[in-house]
Amino acid sequence: MVIVSNRLPIVLRESNGQWTMQKGSGGLVTALSPILENRGGLWVGWTGITKTMPIGEIKKVLDPFSLESGFRLLPVFLTEEERDLFYYGLSNEVIWPLFHDLQTRCRFDPGYWDAYLAVNRKYARTIERHVREGDFIWIHDYHLIPLAEELSRKGFEGNLAFFLHIPFPPPDIFVKFPWRKDLLRALLHYGFIGFQTLRDRRNFTDCLRVFFPETRIEGRGPIIRILIGDVETRAGHLPISVDAEEFIRISRSKEVTERTQAIRNDFGQRRLLFSVDRLDYTKGIPEKLKGFRHALREFPELKGTVTLIQQLVPSRETVPAYHVLKEEIDRLVGQINGEFSTGDWVPIVYRYQPMDRPELIAHYRAADVGLITPLKDGMNLVAKEYVLSQADNRGVLVLSEFAGSAMQLGESCLLVNPYSVKEIAEAIVGALSMPGEEKKRRLRNMRKTLRHHDVFWWVRNFLRASAGRELEDFPERELTPLSAPLVLESKDMMRKEEWV
Ligand code: GDG
């Protein structure tokens, strides 16, 4: 199994000339690590750095990861310019905001598209030397949409599958993308295209119909066939998830039980609201804080009795829009705490740092309410993790109706429009006053859905739908082929013993 994503599932750091590596966090890593582990597969992606690094050095850093995880990492290296135009540029200043319906945040720089294609060509060059006929190549997310087209230009004839982790926008938003027809054509090079929800898949086929009026769709179930002239492909909607049993198990463990108790002790009788978000404008963090402020203003009984723990995970910090967002959040937290704090109560406990997993799960378990209100989200795994961590059957999920996970959990959580401070405030009050039996019933329903549709369900169904393969076709192995040599993307670099 070959997974290709923009980033490798690690974070590299340099300190005093020494490189260290840490396993990455984020949705994709959480979802795919349990699948690849011990299957001896390959994960191809950018290292996240643009520094020159000797080969021996990178191998020294990456090899321990392979040993521990049971799959190999194949790095792609980007120059600073490539990073700026491909990653910060087209991927994160155009596709990311546009596909989250935030077109006014886009910067349509004419130079971005060529760089986007060039970097995809670079990924194709790296991959082609490492894949054999029969390998299953699964390409992830919006950074790599043109990769199938680039690989087929190189003569690769195998089956390529793609999964889009973010939403796909409706035609009236998609038409604003300057390279819209090229992007659709690129997607049609995949044998199978997976979306998170039916809404996203419909938006995609609606866009195809706008730009290719001869488009024919066959089938009505979760998998459909798309025919345009002599091009034929298939598309499906498969909501990604997490390892449900693992969350249930960890949330009941002794360590998490103790940490949960410690968190509750810290807050005494106060009720806890908990939010954890990557620093990103799509997550609706200022809107949520304003919703909480509205609740404190409109429902005075909340004053002194409720605390919101807002955990913010650093992300894309060097991008100006994220810097501005961070300042806005800092300011809002300061204003709200300034307006309402008393001698012994602060309404918002605000942290800007990642947590380790047991601590995160303990916070999920300790919280009376999980407050998850993105403006739009492909899925949102945090919502699912919150539900699965309710070992005491007492939490209520308040969720944005624009998160993909609302399609699965909408009937049993409290749905809100994240743009409405009033709805957020009322949902907070509704959640805090919900009777215990109702909470249990809602959690039971959501847990049932999530136990069935877990990450293994997602992978199994993706493999079946895209390649007619089963997870068992990729058996677990005792030994990982660690010794397989890494082949470099450029012979010149090999000679210099350096990668850029
Ligand atoms: C993209 C799409 C889609 C967060 N903070 C900590 C931490 N996390 C982990 C969570 C969760 C993951 O990060 C975040 O996943 P999300 O799904 O919520 O969001 P994105 O990163 O935006 O992911 C999204 C996803 O891809 C998968 O397809 O659902 O819509 O935008 O797993 O637990 N983990 C730890 N400490 C933290 O502080 N250990």
Side-chain angles (χ1 to χ4, degrees), residues 439-462:
K439 290 188 203 174
K440 272 191 200 156
R441 183 175 51 75
R442 286 172 181 261
L443 283 171
R444 204 167 38 237
N445 289 343
M446 291 191 279
R447 204 159 29 221
K448 193 169 165 209
T449 304
L450 296 179
R451 280 183 108 151
H452 181 62
H453 295 98
D454 66 359
V455 71
F456 301 104
W457 173 93
W458 176 70
V459 172
R460 259 198 312 278
N461 282 282
F462 191 92

Side-chain angles (χ1 to χ4, degrees), residues 141-368:
D141 233 0
Y142 58 101
H143 318 82
L144 300 176
I145 291 174
L147 190 49
E149 193 172 3
E150 296 299 342
L151 279 166
S152 55
R153 280 214 181 102
K154 294 188 164 301
F156 184 80
E157 288 179 351
N159 192 3
L160 294 158
F162 179 78
F163 187 79
L164 185 69
H165 290 258
I166 64 172
F168 199 92
D172 54 341
I173 288 180
F174 184 74
V175 287
K176 285 156 191 148
F177 188 67
W179 309 275
R180 55 208 185 175
K181 232 177 150 171
D182 298 309
L183 200 75
L184 289 178
R185 260 197 222 103
L187 271 168
L188 293 169
H189 276 79
Y190 290 93
F192 181 79
I193 311 155
F195 296 94
Q196 298 272 26
T197 67
L198 180 60
R199 173 195 65 190
D200 301 311
R201 199 193 74 194
R202 276 209 190 118
N203 286 344
F204 173 62
T205 51
D206 288 349
C207 289
L208 285 177
R209 285 195 183 98
V210 171
F211 292 101
F212 305 99
E214 69 277 29
T215 300
R216 279 192 301 127
I217 308 290
E218 287 180 359
R220 297 172 61 104
I223 312 293
I224 54 166
R225 192 183 300 277
I226 299 169
L227 301 135
I228 306 174
D230 55 4
V231 174
E232 182 183 330
T233 184
R234 286 173 318 123
H237 60 279
L238 293 148
I240 197 169
S241 193
V242 295
D243 184 344
E245 298 306 328
E246 191 188 25
F247 271 93
I248 293 173
R249 183 177 52 74
I250 298 177
S251 68
R252 291 176 181 164
S253 67
K254 187 164 172 279
E255 181 186 4
V256 167
T257 304
E258 284 168 5
R259 290 200 195 197
T260 304
Q261 201 47 54
I263 297 165
R264 289 210 190 117
N265 290 345
D266 281 350
F267 292 92
Q269 292 302 309
R270 293 200 171 105
R271 318 289 298 279
L272 287 182
L273 313 179
F274 180 58
S275 289
V276 53
D277 306 280
R278 221 165 26 78
L279 174 68
D280 198 292
Y281 50 78
T282 62
K283 301 290 181 188
I285 303 158
E287 291 79 0
K288 171 177 51 196
L289 294 173
K290 288 176 192 163
F292 181 56
R293 180 174 64 192
H294 192 74
L296 293 174
R297 285 182 181 162
E298 295 299 311
F299 303 95
E301 68 274 21
L302 299 184
K303 287 184 199 161
T305 61
V306 173
T307 299
L308 167 64
I309 302 180
Q310 173 63 62
Q311 178 79 20
L312 198 57
V313 185
S315 172
R316 303 176 196 168
E317 287 154 278
T318 48
V319 178
Y322 288 70
H323 190 71
V324 171
L325 173 70
K326 170 76 172 36
E327 286 182 348
E328 187 187 356
I329 296 168
D330 291 353
R331 210 172 32 245
L332 261 171
V333 171
Q335 277 171 3
I336 297 169
N337 282 344
E339 185 177 337
F340 297 100
S341 291
T342 59
D344 66 346
W345 172 66
V346 179
I348 305 175
V349 171
Y350 172 50
R351 300 181 190 130
Y352 184 58
Q353 60 205 241
M355 278 178 177
D356 68 29
R357 219 161 180 227
E359 189 66 10
L360 178 67
I361 297 177
H363 275 80
Y364 288 148
R365 184 171 162 186
D368 298 274

Side-chain angles (χ1 to χ4, degrees), residues 382-434:
V382 169
K384 297 187 170 184
E385 294 168 4
Y386 175 74
V387 168
L388 291 163
S389 306
Q390 293 310 307
D392 310 301
N393 275 318
R394 57 193 283 283
V396 181
L397 174 65
V398 173
L399 179 63
S400 160
E401 61 184 281
F402 307 128
S405 46
M407 309 285 159
Q408 288 173 291
L409 307 176
E411 279 180 12
S412 301
C413 65
L414 299 186
L415 283 183
V416 293
N417 173 351
Y419 291 96
S420 163
V421 289
K422 189 166 172 281
E423 280 192 30
I424 294 177
E426 285 171 1
I428 290 173
V429 174
L432 290 172
S433 55
M434 190 180 283

